[in-house]
Amino acid sequence: MTHDLTTASDMMIGGQSVASQARFGVVNPATGKVFAEAPDCSREQLDMAMNAAEKAAASWRADENARRVAIRQAADTLLADQQDLAAVLSAEQGKPFKAACYEVAETARWMKAATDLELPRTVVQDDATAYADIRHRPLGVVAAITPWNFPLLLAGWKLGPALLAGNTVVLKPSPFTPLSTLRLGELLASVLPPGVVNVVSGGDELGAWMTSHPAVRKISFTGSVPTGKAVAAAAAPDLKRITLELGGNDAAIVLDDADPAAVERGLFWGAFINNGQICAGIKRIYVPEKLHDGIVEALAQRARSVRVGAGTEEGVQLGPIQNRPQFERVQGLVKEALAGGARAAAGGKAMDRPGYFFEPTILTGAAEGTRIVDEEQFGPAVPVIPYRDVDDAIERANNTKYGLSGSVWSPDIERAAEVASRLHSGTGFVNDHLALGPHLPFGGTKWSGVGVENGSWGLEEFTELQVIYRSRK
Ligand code: NAD
C-alpha cells in the first residue's frame, strides 16, 4: 500500500485541489482515536464549488457519447486504485479490507452500468396535426450527499446516472467518513473535465448549505429519515428536485415450510452484512412459532462463529461499529431490550477492547413496543420474533413508518412471492435479502424515501422532460 492514510486529500473544486483553513479529525473506529484530518469547507469554498459545477455544465451536457466514455474511464481509474482506495475506506469506515475492495469494485461496476443506459427520445405524436417528441434534459447542478456506511458505493450510485444525464455534481460525504470520497474526487478529476465533479467535506451544516444553495437544481440524498425530512424542507422554497434514500426497518418472514438449516445463512448475512449498518438489511426476523427455537439456535451458532476485528486483521468478517454515537445507540437498544425481558441467544454486549466493537447479537423475547423492534437499529443486533399465521406476520411487518424492503423465505417460491407482494415496501425479496443490482430500481415507500435509484428509473430522476411539438397545420 502506497497511500499514507494520515494524509487526507484536499477538496476537489473546479479540477483543483483546494485546502481549507479549518480541518476536522477523522476517527479510526477500530481504535476510537483520531488518525487523520479532513478539510472543513467554508461557505466561500462551497460557492466556488457550485460556480465550478455551473460553469462546467454547458459543455458537459453537449455530448452524450463523450460523457459515456469519460464515465467508463472514471470507473477504470477507481479500479486501478482499488488497493489504496480500499485501505482508506477500511481505515475510516471500519469494514474489513476485503469488503472495502469489494465496495470499490462495486462502485466502478455501478458507474459503468449507468453508461449502458439510454436516455430515450420518444415520439408521442406523428399525424397530420403535429409531430411531437419527448426528450430528457439534464437538471443542472446536483448536490449529492452520502452517509457513512457505504461512502463510495452510494456516491457511485449517484455519480453514474447524474453524469450520464448531463448534470454536474457537488458531492459531500459524511463527516465520519470523508477520506475515501476526497480521494475519489482526486481520481475522478484526473479523467473528467474540471468542475464536472466537485468534492467538498465538512460537518452537517455543509449539507444544509448545499441543499439551500441557489445553484442546485437537484438533491440526491442518502441518509436518515430526520435529515431526509430537513432536506425536503430545504428544497421546497426553491422547488429543487429531490431523491431521498432513507432508513429502513426491514422484516424477514420465514414461512412454516422453511428448513431452518436452509435459511439461516441467508437470514444471518441479510442482517449482519456491513455489521448491520445497511439501510435495506434485515432488522426484524418473523418466524412461525414451531420453527422459532431451531432458527434462533442456528442464527446464534453462526453469530458466535463470526470473526470480528479491525478491518486490517486477516480473515475478519465484521469490523467495529462505525462511530461512537451509533455504537452507543446500538448498545442502548440492546440493553433496553434485555432489561425488558429479552434474552441474548448470542452476543448482547460491547466487546472488551478499544474501539467500537459489539458482539453479533441474536435477541429473542423482544416484541413490538421494544425500541429494537420498532426503530431502525442499524447495527449488529437482530430480534427474532414468533408469529401465529401469515396474516399476523404481514400485519406486523407492515406496521411501521418504514418501507424499504422485506423478504419471505420458503421452498415454495410462488407462495413466498405472493406473500412478498403484500409487503408495503419498495422491494420484496424471496429467499434472499439485499440482492441489489444496478438494473433494479431501489427506493422506499412511506418514510423510507422519495423516488428511486438505479436502472432507467433512477437515471430519469436526474432529468426533466421536454416536449418538442412541431405543428403541421
Ligand atoms: P445522516 O442523515 O445523519 O447523514 C447523512 C448525510 O447527510 C451526511 O453526509 C450528513 O453530513 C448530511 N447532513 C446532516 N444534516 C444535514 C442537513 N440538515 N442537510 C443536508 N445534509 C445533512 O445519516 P447517517 O447517520 O450518515 O447514515 C445512516 C442513515 O442512512 C440510516 O438511517 C440509514 O438507513 C440511511 N441509509 C439509507 C440508504 C438508502 O439507500 N435508503 C443507504 C444507506 C444509509
Side-chain angles (χ1 to χ4, degrees):
M1 262 154 251
T2 54
H3 191 69
D4 178 1
L5 295 178
T6 59
T7 318
S9 305
D10 288 330
M11 298 186 286
M12 184 53 62
I13 298 179
Q16 303 289 321
S17 287
V18 175
S20 68
Q21 248 177 1
R23 298 175 75 77
F24 60 95
V26 183
V27 170
N28 174 351
T31 62
K33 300 246 166 14
V34 170
F35 76 104
E37 286 188 335
D40 197 357
C41 185
S42 70
R43 223 167 172 142
E44 293 67 34
Q45 288 173 321
L46 179 64
D47 284 342
M48 281 166 53
M50 292 295 174
N51 287 341
E54 280 186 308
K55 226 172 108 192
S59 53
W60 182 248
R61 69 188 291 161
D63 185 344
E64 185 176 331
N65 265 336
R67 294 201 295 274
R68 223 175 272 285
V69 172
I71 297 165
R72 285 187 188 141
Q73 265 179 349
D76 284 336
T77 308
L78 301 193
L79 286 177
D81 194 62
Q82 185 179 27
Q83 299 286 306
D84 275 5
L85 202 45
V88 178
L89 175 60
S90 173
E92 67 175 354
Q93 205 285 334
K95 62 184 69 190
F97 178 68
K98 220 169 123 186
C101 286
Y102 181 69
E103 182 170 339
V104 175
E106 285 291 271
T107 307
R109 181 168 82 93
W110 240 272
M111 286 176 67
K112 279 192 183 169
T115 68
D116 294 333
L117 298 170
E118 296 287 337
L119 286 165
R121 215 179 246 206
T122 316
V123 177
V124 288
Q125 188 175 356
D126 182 4
D127 59 23
T129 317
Y131 180 88
D133 66 8
I134 299 178
R135 292 127 190 248
H136 289 269
R137 288 152 42 104
L139 287 156
V141 176
V142 172
I145 301 177
T146 51
W148 45 258
N149 58 343
F150 288 92
L152 293 178
L153 182 59
L154 296 173
W157 281 28
K158 301 181 188 315
L159 289 171
L163 296 177
L164 182 73
N167 303 284
T168 55
V169 177
V170 177
L171 168 64
K172 186 198 91 67
S174 163
F176 291 113
T177 53
L179 306 177
S180 50
T181 308
L182 289 165
R183 184 153 175 83
L184 173 84
E186 230 172 51
L187 294 166
L188 296 185
S190 68
V191 289
L192 297 176
V196 166
V197 174
N198 306 275
V199 176
V200 291
S201 61
D204 292 349
E205 74 288 351
L206 176 60
W209 296 345
M210 287 169 70
T211 54
S212 58
H213 199 285
V216 171
R217 287 315 309 151
K218 161 89 190 182
I219 304 165
S220 180
F221 172 82
T222 304
S224 64
V225 169
T227 312
K229 290 180 181 178
V231 169
D238 195 25
L239 297 179
K240 295 178 166 71
R241 282 20 180 189
I242 52 172
T243 298
L244 305 176
E245 295 287 1
L246 309 178
N249 194 11
D250 288 13
I253 301 176
V254 179
L255 297 187
D256 56 4
D257 53 0
D259 172 3
V263 298
E264 61 84 17
R265 188 170 184 280
L267 288 173
F268 182 86
W269 287 111
F272 285 87
I273 192 130
N274 208 45
N275 225 7
Q277 302 166 122
I278 189 158
C279 51
I282 296 173
K283 311 270 167 62
R284 304 173 279 160
I285 302 179
Y286 286 97
V287 298
E289 282 157 1
K290 66 169 188 176
L291 296 183
H292 175 268
D293 293 355
I295 289 181
V296 166
E297 192 37 44
L299 289 171
Q301 261 186 38
R302 190 171 286 277
R304 286 190 288 265
S305 73
V306 164
R307 183 128 183 248
V308 183
T312 44
E313 288 169 31
E314 199 60 44
V316 153
Q317 291 166 288
L318 296 179
I321 291 176
Q322 201 281 321
N323 58 69
R324 176 167 283 285
Q326 188 59 21
F327 173 67
E328 284 170 357
R329 174 172 162 78
V330 173
Q331 206 170 10
L333 291 179
V334 171
K335 267 192 186 154
E336 194 178 301
L338 294 174
R343 183 177 73 83
K349 59 182 189 326
M351 289 165 71
D352 185 19
R353 60 180 282 177
Y356 311 137
F357 291 94
F358 199 86
E359 296 171 346
T361 296
I362 305 293
L363 290 175
T364 64
E368 288 84 355
T370 314
R371 286 204 303 147
I372 199 153
V373 176
D374 296 346
E375 297 181 12
E376 179 186 42
Q377 65 272 46
F378 215 65
V382 71
V384 182
I385 308 161
Y387 71 80
R388 273 192 325 279
D389 55 37
V390 171
D391 287 346
D392 175 39
I394 285 284
E395 191 185 323
R396 292 160 76 182
N398 286 339
N399 187 18
T400 167
K401 293 280 191 193
Y402 293 104
L404 206 45
S405 56
S407 57
V408 182
W409 302 72
S410 162
D412 185 341
I413 290 176
E414 282 317 308
R415 178 181 171 224
E418 205 42 49
V419 177
S421 72
R422 295 171 61 194
L423 290 167
H424 299 165
S425 57
T427 307
F429 296 105
V430 171
N431 294 334
D432 211 329
H433 208 104
L434 278 167
L436 310 181
H439 60 300
L440 299 169
F442 178 76
T445 63
K446 300 188 272 184
W447 282 7
S448 286
V450 175
V452 296
E453 293 190 287
N454 301 333
S456 56
W457 306 271
L459 176 63
E460 287 178 16
E461 295 209 10
F462 287 106
T463 67
E464 58 195 356
L465 298 183
Q466 185 184 38
V467 178
I468 299 294
Y469 181 96
R470 305 161 185 82
S471 175
R472 283 174 171 161
K473 281 192 291 190

